[in-house]
Amino acid sequence: MSHFEAFALALIQGLTEFLPISSSAHLILPSQIFGWADQGLAFDVAVHLGTLAAVVLYFRKEVTTLLGAWLGSIFNGRRCGEAKLAWMIVLATIPACVFGFFMKDIIELYLRSAWVIAATTIIFGLLLWWVDRRATQQDDEYQANWKSSLFIGLAQAAAMIPGTSRSGATMTAALHLGFTREAAARFSFLMSIPVIVLAGSYLGMKLVTSGAPIEFGGLGIGLAVSFVSAYACIHVFLKLVTRLGMLPFVIYRLLLGVGLITFLLSQ
């Protein structure tokens, strides 16, 4: 993998990880369209670390508060809104872990194709548009209960299908439940932290046991670019989502899906 490819893929990862447009779809597409070689496990670990560092740094105050409240609820029995939210994030993470454990191989074998990406990009884009238009937008993330958290967690699990978008699916589910756009985005971003930690740890263990060669120049580019682009993306998205809504991302998804179908039919 050249340094240009490393830069481009890390930029794609950083910009799409937290937008409702599917990072997995965009990372698969270069190999499908341009014939780029697979980026490898080491690079996957690097960009996961970059996006994880970005979301943790951006929400450092919330993460510190939620983690302290969560630990306090375990060891001191302390109950508060922050502890409840932390437990809801933990609950919302469980479906993705279960689904990933049982379905990962099936997804890798049968669903990582450009046709699947085109279909899910369009279908879930239309679903996001429909839900966003009808959303009541009354609640913040602290109103989440076990039923709503589990529902959003199931949406996150379904987003393992390439092209669905983890952030898109979770924001769609949260909007459907009455969250404001900003609250849906914040809950989605906070939910991403344990998922990225688990995914990065899994990939890291695979890397260690595989003995695959590591090219540190590409890894450094991947880590730095994914961090900077993800941090900027989170900041801009939270500033604009309440004003712009989800329509720009829906339009992008539809254009991407139709463009991909046109490309595939021309082959």
Side-chain angles (χ1 to χ4, degrees), residues 170-213:
T170 52
M171 289 182 203
T172 299
L175 287 168
H176 175 71
L177 293 170
F179 284 39
T180 66
R181 289 175 180 142
E182 185 176 0
R186 290 173 64 85
F187 193 72
S188 174
F189 294 158
L190 290 171
M191 281 176 63
S192 74
I193 295 174
V195 169
I196 297 175
V197 168
L198 292 170
S201 299
Y202 172 76
L203 292 172
M205 288 188 293
K206 284 186 66 176
L207 177 62
V208 171
T209 57
S210 69

Side-chain angles (χ1 to χ4, degrees), residues 13 17 41 44-49 51-52 93 96-97 100 104 160 166 191-207:
Q13 173 73 26
E17 177 67 34
L41 278 173
D44 283 343
V45 173
V47 295
H48 273 79
L49 287 175
T51 53
L52 175 63
T93 304
C97 296
K104 186 177 187 304
M160 292 186 68
R166 190 208 63 81
M191 281 176 63
S192 74
I193 295 174
V195 169
I196 297 175
V197 168
L198 292 170
S201 299
Y202 172 76
L203 292 172
M205 288 188 293
K206 284 186 66 176
L207 177 62

Side-chain angles (χ1 to χ4, degrees), residues 18-32:
F18 300 108
L19 294 180
I21 56 176
S22 180
S23 61
S24 61
H26 288 76
L27 290 172
I28 291 172
L29 291 178
S31 63
Q32 296 277 342

Side-chain angles (χ1 to χ4, degrees), residues 96-133:
C97 296
V98 175
F99 188 80
F101 181 80
F102 288 105
M103 300 296 294
K104 186 177 187 304
D105 291 339
I106 294 175
I107 292 171
E108 290 287 340
L109 285 173
Y110 300 110
L111 298 180
R112 290 179 68 86
S113 75
W115 281 108
V116 171
I117 291 171
T120 53
T121 296
I122 293 172
I123 292 170
F124 286 95
L126 290 172
L127 181 61
L128 175 61
W129 169 76
W130 183 77
V131 169
D132 187 50
R133 284 197 63 185

Side-chain angles (χ1 to χ4, degrees), residues 45-104:
V45 173
V47 295
H48 273 79
L49 287 175
T51 53
L52 175 63
V55 69
V56 170
L57 182 63
Y58 192 89
F59 292 103
R60 56 193 178 276
K61 293 181 181 178
E62 290 88 343
V63 170
T64 301
T65 301
L66 291 175
L67 183 58
W70 182 66
L71 292 174
S73 72
I74 295 175
F75 296 108
N76 301 324
R78 186 177 66 185
R79 296 183 180 181
C80 60
E82 287 77 13
K84 177 189 173 185
L85 178 58
W87 277 112
M88 294 306 99
I89 292 171
V90 171
L91 178 61
T93 304
I94 294 174
C97 296
V98 175
F99 188 80
F101 181 80
F102 288 105
M103 300 296 294
K104 186 177 187 304

